mmCIF file of all heavy atoms in Angstrom:
data_model
loop_
_atom_site.group_PDB
_atom_site.id
_atom_site.type_symbol
_atom_site.label_atom_id
_atom_site.label_comp_id
_atom_site.label_asym_id
_atom_site.label_seq_id
_atom_site.Cartn_x
_atom_site.Cartn_y
_atom_site.Cartn_z
ATOM 1 N N ASP A 66 14.863 12.018 8.090
ATOM 2 C CA ASP A 66 14.024 12.416 9.221
ATOM 3 C C ASP A 66 12.595 12.696 8.945
ATOM 4 O O ASP A 66 11.700 12.487 9.734
ATOM 5 C CB ASP A 66 14.664 13.617 9.923
ATOM 6 C CG ASP A 66 15.870 13.363 10.672
ATOM 7 O OD1 ASP A 66 16.122 12.165 10.920
ATOM 8 O OD2 ASP A 66 16.598 14.264 10.999
ATOM 9 N N GLU A 67 12.300 13.156 7.591
ATOM 10 C CA GLU A 67 10.954 13.508 7.295
ATOM 11 C C GLU A 67 10.322 12.646 6.150
ATOM 12 O O GLU A 67 9.206 12.704 5.755
ATOM 13 C CB GLU A 67 10.984 14.837 6.622
ATOM 14 C CG GLU A 67 11.289 16.009 7.847
ATOM 15 C CD GLU A 67 11.162 17.450 7.251
ATOM 16 O OE1 GLU A 67 11.171 17.583 6.113
ATOM 17 O OE2 GLU A 67 11.088 18.196 8.166
ATOM 18 N N VAL A 68 11.008 11.611 5.660
ATOM 19 C CA VAL A 68 10.606 10.805 4.483
ATOM 20 C C VAL A 68 10.792 9.346 4.965
ATOM 21 O O VAL A 68 11.746 8.881 5.397
ATOM 22 C CB VAL A 68 11.305 11.053 3.214
ATOM 23 C CG1 VAL A 68 10.797 10.112 2.074
ATOM 24 C CG2 VAL A 68 11.167 12.443 2.902
ATOM 25 N N GLN A 69 9.673 8.557 4.691
ATOM 26 C CA GLN A 69 9.711 7.102 4.822
ATOM 27 C C GLN A 69 9.270 6.417 3.438
ATOM 28 O O GLN A 69 8.481 6.959 2.720
ATOM 29 C CB GLN A 69 8.657 6.619 5.888
ATOM 30 C CG GLN A 69 8.957 7.169 7.235
ATOM 31 C CD GLN A 69 8.973 5.960 8.237
ATOM 32 O OE1 GLN A 69 8.924 4.720 7.874
ATOM 33 N NE2 GLN A 69 9.427 6.295 9.479
ATOM 34 N N GLU A 70 9.771 5.274 3.242
ATOM 35 C CA GLU A 70 9.271 4.353 2.185
ATOM 36 C C GLU A 70 8.405 3.344 2.728
ATOM 37 O O GLU A 70 8.844 2.598 3.673
ATOM 38 C CB GLU A 70 10.442 3.667 1.499
ATOM 39 C CG GLU A 70 10.018 2.834 0.291
ATOM 40 C CD GLU A 70 11.131 1.903 -0.241
ATOM 41 O OE1 GLU A 70 11.741 1.184 0.535
ATOM 42 O OE2 GLU A 70 11.342 2.042 -1.446
ATOM 43 N N VAL A 71 7.141 3.325 2.276
ATOM 44 C CA VAL A 71 6.063 2.282 2.731
ATOM 45 C C VAL A 71 6.100 1.398 1.390
ATOM 46 O O VAL A 71 5.892 1.794 0.313
ATOM 47 C CB VAL A 71 4.762 3.011 2.860
ATOM 48 C CG1 VAL A 71 3.771 1.904 3.118
ATOM 49 C CG2 VAL A 71 4.832 3.946 4.061
ATOM 50 N N GLU A 72 6.328 0.070 1.837
ATOM 51 C CA GLU A 72 6.239 -0.989 0.889
ATOM 52 C C GLU A 72 5.095 -1.914 1.126
ATOM 53 O O GLU A 72 4.930 -2.526 2.186
ATOM 54 C CB GLU A 72 7.652 -1.855 1.004
ATOM 55 C CG GLU A 72 7.662 -2.931 -0.068
ATOM 56 C CD GLU A 72 8.811 -3.729 -0.053
ATOM 57 O OE1 GLU A 72 9.856 -3.508 0.774
ATOM 58 O OE2 GLU A 72 9.118 -4.530 -0.895
ATOM 59 N N MET A 73 4.309 -2.071 0.130
ATOM 60 C CA MET A 73 3.069 -3.054 0.173
ATOM 61 C C MET A 73 3.609 -4.301 -0.811
ATOM 62 O O MET A 73 3.896 -4.192 -1.952
ATOM 63 C CB MET A 73 1.872 -2.366 -0.611
ATOM 64 C CG MET A 73 0.739 -3.403 -0.531
ATOM 65 S SD MET A 73 -0.773 -2.579 -1.232
ATOM 66 C CE MET A 73 -1.225 -1.523 0.177
ATOM 67 N N LYS A 74 3.803 -5.367 -0.017
ATOM 68 C CA LYS A 74 4.256 -6.556 -0.700
ATOM 69 C C LYS A 74 3.018 -7.483 -0.872
ATOM 70 O O LYS A 74 2.271 -7.813 0.042
ATOM 71 C CB LYS A 74 5.271 -7.294 0.093
ATOM 72 C CG LYS A 74 5.664 -8.602 -0.273
ATOM 73 C CD LYS A 74 6.889 -8.425 -1.191
ATOM 74 C CE LYS A 74 7.500 -9.890 -1.414
ATOM 75 N NZ LYS A 74 8.196 -9.961 -2.682
ATOM 76 N N ILE A 75 2.668 -7.886 -2.152
ATOM 77 C CA ILE A 75 1.591 -8.600 -2.435
ATOM 78 C C ILE A 75 1.891 -9.866 -3.242
ATOM 79 O O ILE A 75 2.615 -9.701 -4.243
ATOM 80 C CB ILE A 75 0.361 -7.899 -3.223
ATOM 81 C CG1 ILE A 75 0.097 -6.543 -2.501
ATOM 82 C CG2 ILE A 75 -0.763 -8.785 -3.407
ATOM 83 C CD1 ILE A 75 -0.807 -5.692 -3.287
ATOM 84 N N VAL A 76 1.648 -11.054 -2.749
ATOM 85 C CA VAL A 76 1.933 -12.329 -3.564
ATOM 86 C C VAL A 76 0.692 -13.015 -3.748
ATOM 87 O O VAL A 76 -0.046 -13.298 -2.894
ATOM 88 C CB VAL A 76 2.923 -13.170 -2.673
ATOM 89 C CG1 VAL A 76 3.294 -14.507 -3.449
ATOM 90 C CG2 VAL A 76 4.257 -12.411 -2.354
ATOM 91 N N VAL A 77 0.463 -13.199 -5.064
ATOM 92 C CA VAL A 77 -0.701 -14.072 -5.568
ATOM 93 C C VAL A 77 -0.315 -15.436 -6.157
ATOM 94 O O VAL A 77 0.502 -15.222 -7.128
ATOM 95 C CB VAL A 77 -1.511 -13.089 -6.566
ATOM 96 C CG1 VAL A 77 -2.765 -13.816 -7.000
ATOM 97 C CG2 VAL A 77 -1.863 -11.799 -5.939
ATOM 98 N N THR A 78 -0.932 -16.371 -5.693
ATOM 99 C CA THR A 78 -0.685 -17.696 -6.212
ATOM 100 C C THR A 78 -1.992 -18.325 -6.645
ATOM 101 O O THR A 78 -2.923 -18.406 -5.782
ATOM 102 C CB THR A 78 0.095 -18.555 -5.257
ATOM 103 O OG1 THR A 78 1.340 -17.935 -4.746
ATOM 104 C CG2 THR A 78 0.477 -19.958 -5.924
ATOM 105 N N ALA A 79 -2.041 -18.713 -7.837
ATOM 106 C CA ALA A 79 -3.316 -19.323 -8.429
ATOM 107 C C ALA A 79 -3.048 -20.749 -8.781
ATOM 108 O O ALA A 79 -2.136 -21.036 -9.584
ATOM 109 C CB ALA A 79 -3.801 -18.514 -9.636
ATOM 110 N N LYS A 80 -3.648 -21.748 -8.172
ATOM 111 C CA LYS A 80 -3.366 -23.186 -8.328
ATOM 112 C C LYS A 80 -4.707 -23.823 -8.765
ATOM 113 O O LYS A 80 -5.724 -23.651 -8.221
ATOM 114 C CB LYS A 80 -2.759 -23.824 -7.142
ATOM 115 C CG LYS A 80 -1.371 -23.283 -6.818
ATOM 116 C CD LYS A 80 -0.936 -24.127 -5.608
ATOM 117 C CE LYS A 80 0.451 -23.546 -5.250
ATOM 118 N NZ LYS A 80 1.050 -24.400 -4.224
ATOM 119 N N CYS A 81 -4.632 -24.849 -9.678
ATOM 120 C CA CYS A 81 -5.578 -25.736 -10.067
ATOM 121 C C CYS A 81 -5.188 -27.178 -9.744
ATOM 122 O O CYS A 81 -4.044 -27.196 -9.240
ATOM 123 C CB CYS A 81 -5.849 -25.603 -11.585
ATOM 124 S SG CYS A 81 -6.348 -24.011 -12.141
ATOM 125 N N GLU A 82 -6.163 -27.988 -9.972
ATOM 126 C CA GLU A 82 -5.781 -29.371 -9.748
ATOM 127 C C GLU A 82 -4.483 -29.768 -10.503
ATOM 128 O O GLU A 82 -3.715 -30.733 -9.945
ATOM 129 C CB GLU A 82 -6.873 -30.368 -10.043
ATOM 130 C CG GLU A 82 -8.009 -30.446 -8.961
ATOM 131 C CD GLU A 82 -8.963 -31.497 -9.285
ATOM 132 O OE1 GLU A 82 -8.722 -32.512 -9.792
ATOM 133 O OE2 GLU A 82 -10.053 -31.316 -8.821
ATOM 134 N N ALA A 83 -4.399 -29.385 -11.675
ATOM 135 C CA ALA A 83 -3.228 -29.793 -12.632
ATOM 136 C C ALA A 83 -2.029 -29.162 -12.276
ATOM 137 O O ALA A 83 -0.833 -29.557 -12.722
ATOM 138 C CB ALA A 83 -3.667 -29.559 -13.984
ATOM 139 N N GLY A 84 -2.001 -28.028 -11.419
ATOM 140 C CA GLY A 84 -0.729 -27.384 -11.056
ATOM 141 C C GLY A 84 -0.860 -25.867 -10.905
ATOM 142 O O GLY A 84 -2.034 -25.393 -10.798
ATOM 143 N N THR A 85 0.175 -25.148 -10.671
ATOM 144 C CA THR A 85 0.111 -23.746 -10.587
ATOM 145 C C THR A 85 -0.154 -23.023 -11.977
ATOM 146 O O THR A 85 0.626 -23.160 -12.951
ATOM 147 C CB THR A 85 1.552 -23.240 -10.036
ATOM 148 O OG1 THR A 85 1.712 -23.884 -8.804
ATOM 149 C CG2 THR A 85 1.485 -21.605 -9.893
ATOM 150 N N ALA A 86 -1.218 -22.242 -12.006
ATOM 151 C CA ALA A 86 -1.577 -21.342 -13.153
ATOM 152 C C ALA A 86 -0.590 -20.249 -13.133
ATOM 153 O O ALA A 86 -0.027 -19.950 -14.290
ATOM 154 C CB ALA A 86 -2.926 -20.935 -13.064
ATOM 155 N N TYR A 87 -0.512 -19.425 -12.082
ATOM 156 C CA TYR A 87 0.431 -18.224 -12.138
ATOM 157 C C TYR A 87 0.817 -17.846 -10.714
ATOM 158 O O TYR A 87 0.107 -18.143 -9.742
ATOM 159 C CB TYR A 87 -0.263 -17.087 -12.804
ATOM 160 C CG TYR A 87 -1.451 -16.563 -12.299
ATOM 161 C CD1 TYR A 87 -1.532 -15.618 -11.237
ATOM 162 C CD2 TYR A 87 -2.783 -16.903 -12.851
ATOM 163 C CE1 TYR A 87 -2.802 -15.080 -10.724
ATOM 164 C CE2 TYR A 87 -3.879 -16.436 -12.309
ATOM 165 C CZ TYR A 87 -3.827 -15.510 -11.263
ATOM 166 O OH TYR A 87 -4.989 -15.090 -10.703
ATOM 167 N N ILE A 88 1.853 -17.131 -10.673
ATOM 168 C CA ILE A 88 2.404 -16.370 -9.489
ATOM 169 C C ILE A 88 2.643 -15.084 -9.722
ATOM 170 O O ILE A 88 3.562 -14.798 -10.674
ATOM 171 C CB ILE A 88 3.588 -17.207 -8.824
ATOM 172 C CG1 ILE A 88 3.233 -18.759 -8.528
ATOM 173 C CG2 ILE A 88 4.033 -16.466 -7.496
ATOM 174 C CD1 ILE A 88 4.450 -19.598 -8.250
ATOM 175 N N VAL A 89 2.248 -14.084 -8.998
ATOM 176 C CA VAL A 89 2.570 -12.694 -9.207
ATOM 177 C C VAL A 89 3.015 -12.277 -7.931
ATOM 178 O O VAL A 89 2.452 -12.348 -6.866
ATOM 179 C CB VAL A 89 1.459 -11.820 -9.694
ATOM 180 C CG1 VAL A 89 1.787 -10.428 -9.890
ATOM 181 C CG2 VAL A 89 0.876 -12.367 -10.955
ATOM 182 N N ASP A 90 4.275 -11.602 -7.730
ATOM 183 C CA ASP A 90 4.939 -11.042 -6.574
ATOM 184 C C ASP A 90 5.167 -9.585 -6.898
ATOM 185 O O ASP A 90 6.006 -9.269 -7.812
ATOM 186 C CB ASP A 90 6.204 -11.858 -6.438
ATOM 187 C CG ASP A 90 6.876 -11.600 -5.151
ATOM 188 O OD1 ASP A 90 6.539 -10.474 -4.498
ATOM 189 O OD2 ASP A 90 7.722 -12.464 -4.605
ATOM 190 N N LEU A 91 4.523 -8.712 -6.205
ATOM 191 C CA LEU A 91 4.571 -7.449 -6.369
ATOM 192 C C LEU A 91 5.028 -6.702 -5.079
ATOM 193 O O LEU A 91 4.600 -6.913 -4.087
ATOM 194 C CB LEU A 91 3.184 -6.754 -6.724
ATOM 195 C CG LEU A 91 3.101 -5.338 -6.856
ATOM 196 C CD1 LEU A 91 4.022 -4.616 -7.971
ATOM 197 C CD2 LEU A 91 1.679 -4.807 -7.048
ATOM 198 N N SER A 92 5.999 -5.714 -5.273
ATOM 199 C CA SER A 92 6.397 -4.819 -4.146
ATOM 200 C C SER A 92 6.146 -3.535 -4.745
ATOM 201 O O SER A 92 6.890 -2.855 -5.535
ATOM 202 C CB SER A 92 7.943 -4.934 -3.904
ATOM 203 O OG SER A 92 8.244 -6.161 -3.203
ATOM 204 N N TYR A 93 5.062 -2.890 -4.249
ATOM 205 C CA TYR A 93 4.721 -1.558 -4.600
ATOM 206 C C TYR A 93 4.878 -0.576 -3.517
ATOM 207 O O TYR A 93 4.613 -0.800 -2.293
ATOM 208 C CB TYR A 93 3.180 -1.447 -4.898
ATOM 209 C CG TYR A 93 2.720 -0.289 -5.685
ATOM 210 C CD1 TYR A 93 2.829 -0.211 -7.005
ATOM 211 C CD2 TYR A 93 2.177 0.810 -4.997
ATOM 212 C CE1 TYR A 93 2.378 0.935 -7.724
ATOM 213 C CE2 TYR A 93 1.764 2.023 -5.607
ATOM 214 C CZ TYR A 93 1.982 2.021 -7.083
ATOM 215 O OH TYR A 93 1.536 3.122 -7.749
ATOM 216 N N CYS A 94 5.668 0.538 -3.724
ATOM 217 C CA CYS A 94 6.050 1.402 -2.693
ATOM 218 C C CYS A 94 5.611 2.805 -2.907
ATOM 219 O O CYS A 94 5.174 3.319 -3.932
ATOM 220 C CB CYS A 94 7.645 1.445 -2.673
ATOM 221 S SG CYS A 94 8.317 -0.130 -2.265
ATOM 222 N N ALA A 95 5.659 3.583 -1.907
ATOM 223 C CA ALA A 95 5.527 4.979 -1.895
ATOM 224 C C ALA A 95 6.501 5.727 -0.839
ATOM 225 O O ALA A 95 6.823 5.225 0.052
ATOM 226 C CB ALA A 95 3.993 5.254 -1.351
ATOM 227 N N LEU A 96 6.960 6.807 -1.332
ATOM 228 C CA LEU A 96 7.619 7.798 -0.400
ATOM 229 C C LEU A 96 6.587 8.744 0.134
ATOM 230 O O LEU A 96 5.943 9.300 -0.473
ATOM 231 C CB LEU A 96 8.625 8.530 -1.240
ATOM 232 C CG LEU A 96 9.777 7.824 -1.765
ATOM 233 C CD1 LEU A 96 10.758 8.621 -2.486
ATOM 234 C CD2 LEU A 96 10.516 6.886 -0.669
ATOM 235 N N ILE A 97 6.562 8.731 1.585
ATOM 236 C CA ILE A 97 5.677 9.619 2.234
ATOM 237 C C ILE A 97 6.526 10.473 3.093
ATOM 238 O O ILE A 97 7.627 10.226 3.665
ATOM 239 C CB ILE A 97 4.658 8.800 3.175
ATOM 240 C CG1 ILE A 97 5.337 7.890 4.150
ATOM 241 C CG2 ILE A 97 3.722 8.035 2.248
ATOM 242 C CD1 ILE A 97 4.405 7.354 5.210
ATOM 243 N N GLY A 98 6.032 11.726 3.057
ATOM 244 C CA GLY A 98 6.725 12.883 3.806
ATOM 245 C C GLY A 98 5.852 13.124 5.125
ATOM 246 O O GLY A 98 4.615 13.249 4.951
ATOM 247 N N MET A 99 6.535 13.299 6.262
ATOM 248 C CA MET A 99 5.835 13.741 7.435
ATOM 249 C C MET A 99 6.725 14.609 8.176
ATOM 250 O O MET A 99 7.821 14.378 8.370
ATOM 251 C CB MET A 99 5.412 12.415 8.344
ATOM 252 C CG MET A 99 4.408 11.665 7.634
ATOM 253 S SD MET A 99 4.059 10.117 8.705
ATOM 254 C CE MET A 99 5.580 9.051 8.432
ATOM 255 N N ARG A 100 6.059 15.752 8.770
ATOM 256 C CA ARG A 100 6.795 16.512 9.739
ATOM 257 C C ARG A 100 5.761 17.126 10.787
ATOM 258 O O ARG A 100 4.611 17.290 10.465
ATOM 259 C CB ARG A 100 7.604 17.530 8.955
ATOM 260 C CG ARG A 100 6.847 18.893 8.711
ATOM 261 C CD ARG A 100 7.858 19.819 8.104
ATOM 262 N NE ARG A 100 6.925 20.579 7.189
ATOM 263 C CZ ARG A 100 6.998 20.706 5.875
ATOM 264 N NH1 ARG A 100 7.957 19.859 5.321
ATOM 265 N NH2 ARG A 100 6.107 21.307 5.168
ATOM 266 N N ASN A 101 6.393 17.195 11.913
ATOM 267 C CA ASN A 101 5.662 18.022 13.042
ATOM 268 C C ASN A 101 4.404 17.012 13.481
ATOM 269 O O ASN A 101 3.313 17.564 13.634
ATOM 270 C CB ASN A 101 5.195 19.370 12.699
ATOM 271 C CG ASN A 101 6.430 20.169 12.383
ATOM 272 O OD1 ASN A 101 7.496 20.193 12.914
ATOM 273 N ND2 ASN A 101 6.233 21.124 11.468
ATOM 274 N N ILE A 102 4.561 15.778 13.286
ATOM 275 C CA ILE A 102 3.494 14.851 13.748
ATOM 276 C C ILE A 102 3.964 13.883 14.850
ATOM 277 O O ILE A 102 5.118 13.368 14.829
ATOM 278 C CB ILE A 102 3.187 13.897 12.444
ATOM 279 C CG1 ILE A 102 2.488 14.890 11.331
ATOM 280 C CG2 ILE A 102 2.124 12.846 12.874
ATOM 281 C CD1 ILE A 102 2.049 14.034 10.169
ATOM 282 N N ASP A 103 3.268 13.740 15.797
ATOM 283 C CA ASP A 103 3.636 12.962 16.989
ATOM 284 C C ASP A 103 3.807 11.414 16.542
ATOM 285 O O ASP A 103 3.307 11.069 15.348
ATOM 286 C CB ASP A 103 2.666 13.021 18.082
ATOM 287 C CG ASP A 103 1.414 12.511 17.857
ATOM 288 O OD1 ASP A 103 1.272 11.251 17.652
ATOM 289 O OD2 ASP A 103 0.390 13.111 18.104
ATOM 290 N N GLN A 104 4.490 10.669 17.290
ATOM 291 C CA GLN A 104 4.779 9.334 16.969
ATOM 292 C C GLN A 104 3.711 8.439 16.585
ATOM 293 O O GLN A 104 3.633 7.639 15.648
ATOM 294 C CB GLN A 104 5.709 8.649 17.938
ATOM 295 C CG GLN A 104 6.484 7.200 17.522
ATOM 296 C CD GLN A 104 7.512 7.490 16.597
ATOM 297 O OE1 GLN A 104 7.951 8.655 16.284
ATOM 298 N NE2 GLN A 104 7.816 6.521 15.917
ATOM 299 N N ALA A 105 2.578 8.525 17.333
ATOM 300 C CA ALA A 105 1.431 7.631 17.273
ATOM 301 C C ALA A 105 0.834 8.023 15.873
ATOM 302 O O ALA A 105 0.399 7.013 15.217
ATOM 303 C CB ALA A 105 0.463 7.773 18.349
ATOM 304 N N GLN A 106 0.655 9.250 15.589
ATOM 305 C CA GLN A 106 -0.030 9.647 14.293
ATOM 306 C C GLN A 106 0.782 9.347 13.100
ATOM 307 O O GLN A 106 0.330 8.910 12.063
ATOM 308 C CB GLN A 106 -0.303 11.000 14.250
ATOM 309 C CG GLN A 106 -1.371 11.490 15.220
ATOM 310 C CD GLN A 106 -1.593 12.973 15.266
ATOM 311 O OE1 GLN A 106 -0.542 13.810 15.102
ATOM 312 N NE2 GLN A 106 -2.838 13.399 15.482
ATOM 313 N N ALA A 107 2.112 9.402 13.218
ATOM 314 C CA ALA A 107 3.038 8.986 12.105
ATOM 315 C C ALA A 107 2.980 7.523 11.942
ATOM 316 O O ALA A 107 3.014 7.081 10.735
ATOM 317 C CB ALA A 107 4.420 9.424 12.489
ATOM 318 N N HIS A 108 2.840 6.732 12.958
ATOM 319 C CA HIS A 108 2.864 5.268 12.831
ATOM 320 C C HIS A 108 1.505 5.021 12.085
ATOM 321 O O HIS A 108 1.312 4.022 11.223
ATOM 322 C CB HIS A 108 2.805 4.617 14.122
ATOM 323 C CG HIS A 108 3.089 3.192 14.136
ATOM 324 N ND1 HIS A 108 1.981 2.282 14.133
ATOM 325 C CD2 HIS A 108 4.117 2.356 14.030
ATOM 326 C CE1 HIS A 108 2.491 1.002 14.125
ATOM 327 N NE2 HIS A 108 3.860 0.951 13.941
ATOM 328 N N ALA A 109 0.347 5.530 12.536
ATOM 329 C CA ALA A 109 -0.944 5.270 11.949
ATOM 330 C C ALA A 109 -0.944 5.688 10.513
ATOM 331 O O ALA A 109 -1.422 4.997 9.617
ATOM 332 C CB ALA A 109 -2.085 5.975 12.704
ATOM 333 N N PHE A 110 -0.409 6.789 10.079
ATOM 334 C CA PHE A 110 -0.306 7.261 8.720
ATOM 335 C C PHE A 110 0.479 6.290 7.939
ATOM 336 O O PHE A 110 0.091 5.889 6.721
ATOM 337 C CB PHE A 110 0.308 8.763 8.610
ATOM 338 C CG PHE A 110 0.145 9.256 7.201
ATOM 339 C CD1 PHE A 110 -0.946 9.769 6.783
ATOM 340 C CD2 PHE A 110 1.233 9.021 6.267
ATOM 341 C CE1 PHE A 110 -1.030 10.248 5.451
ATOM 342 C CE2 PHE A 110 1.177 9.657 4.970
ATOM 343 C CZ PHE A 110 -0.055 10.194 4.590
ATOM 344 N N THR A 111 1.592 5.785 8.445
ATOM 345 C CA THR A 111 2.523 4.894 7.769
ATOM 346 C C THR A 111 1.897 3.631 7.427
ATOM 347 O O THR A 111 2.073 2.952 6.377
ATOM 348 C CB THR A 111 3.916 4.779 8.540
ATOM 349 O OG1 THR A 111 4.447 6.063 8.710
ATOM 350 C CG2 THR A 111 4.809 3.911 7.847
ATOM 351 N N TYR A 112 1.157 2.985 8.468
ATOM 352 C CA TYR A 112 0.802 1.631 8.493
ATOM 353 C C TYR A 112 -0.763 1.542 8.077
ATOM 354 O O TYR A 112 -1.241 0.438 7.884
ATOM 355 C CB TYR A 112 1.109 0.884 9.626
ATOM 356 C CG TYR A 112 2.562 0.595 9.736
ATOM 357 C CD1 TYR A 112 3.318 1.453 10.420
ATOM 358 C CD2 TYR A 112 3.168 -0.443 8.911
ATOM 359 C CE1 TYR A 112 4.687 1.296 10.527
ATOM 360 C CE2 TYR A 112 4.590 -0.594 9.078
ATOM 361 C CZ TYR A 112 5.354 0.204 9.845
ATOM 362 O OH TYR A 112 6.695 -0.017 9.884
ATOM 363 N N ALA A 113 -1.496 2.572 8.078
ATOM 364 C CA ALA A 113 -2.989 2.508 7.738
ATOM 365 C C ALA A 113 -3.289 3.351 6.572
ATOM 366 O O ALA A 113 -3.825 2.835 5.531
ATOM 367 C CB ALA A 113 -3.691 2.813 8.894
ATOM 368 N N GLU A 114 -3.044 4.670 6.672
ATOM 369 C CA GLU A 114 -3.381 5.638 5.611
ATOM 370 C C GLU A 114 -2.718 5.436 4.336
ATOM 371 O O GLU A 114 -3.154 5.529 3.220
ATOM 372 C CB GLU A 114 -3.357 7.061 6.100
ATOM 373 C CG GLU A 114 -3.912 8.029 5.332
ATOM 374 C CD GLU A 114 -5.391 7.944 5.020
ATOM 375 O OE1 GLU A 114 -5.983 7.162 5.534
ATOM 376 O OE2 GLU A 114 -5.900 8.579 3.949
ATOM 377 N N ALA A 115 -1.396 5.273 4.382
ATOM 378 C CA ALA A 115 -0.487 5.202 3.147
ATOM 379 C C ALA A 115 -0.834 3.967 2.496
ATOM 380 O O ALA A 115 -1.077 4.041 1.137
ATOM 381 C CB ALA A 115 1.072 5.268 3.498
ATOM 382 N N PRO A 116 -1.013 2.797 3.091
ATOM 383 C CA PRO A 116 -1.419 1.674 2.404
ATOM 384 C C PRO A 116 -2.896 1.830 1.577
ATOM 385 O O PRO A 116 -3.054 1.383 0.511
ATOM 386 C CB PRO A 116 -1.408 0.515 3.325
ATOM 387 C CG PRO A 116 -0.542 0.961 4.314
ATOM 388 C CD PRO A 116 -0.601 2.338 4.456
ATOM 389 N N ARG A 117 -3.784 2.521 2.464
ATOM 390 C CA ARG A 117 -5.073 2.800 1.769
ATOM 391 C C ARG A 117 -5.022 3.578 0.565
ATOM 392 O O ARG A 117 -5.736 3.286 -0.526
ATOM 393 C CB ARG A 117 -5.964 3.571 2.854
ATOM 394 C CG ARG A 117 -7.244 3.677 2.257
ATOM 395 C CD ARG A 117 -8.180 4.807 3.230
ATOM 396 N NE ARG A 117 -7.571 6.052 3.080
ATOM 397 C CZ ARG A 117 -7.826 6.923 2.103
ATOM 398 N NH1 ARG A 117 -8.588 6.470 1.040
ATOM 399 N NH2 ARG A 117 -7.318 8.202 2.080
#
Side-chain angles (χ1 to χ4, degrees):
D66 290 342
E67 294 184 346
V68 178
Q69 292 238 358
E70 179 188 57
V71 175
E72 180 178 6
M73 178 179 288
K74 174 95 168 154
I75 307 171
V76 179
V77 178
T78 306
K80 293 185 177 183
C81 296
E82 276 188 37
T85 300
Y87 61 85
I88 302 168
V89 179
D90 188 340
L91 172 65
S92 291
Y93 193 85
C94 296
L96 292 179
I97 58 170
M99 293 181 282
R100 90 174 145 247
N101 304 322
I102 296 179
D103 69 56
Q104 192 67 18
Q106 289 175 330
H108 193 268
F110 189 84
T111 301
Y112 291 98
E114 186 62 13
R117 183 193 68 79

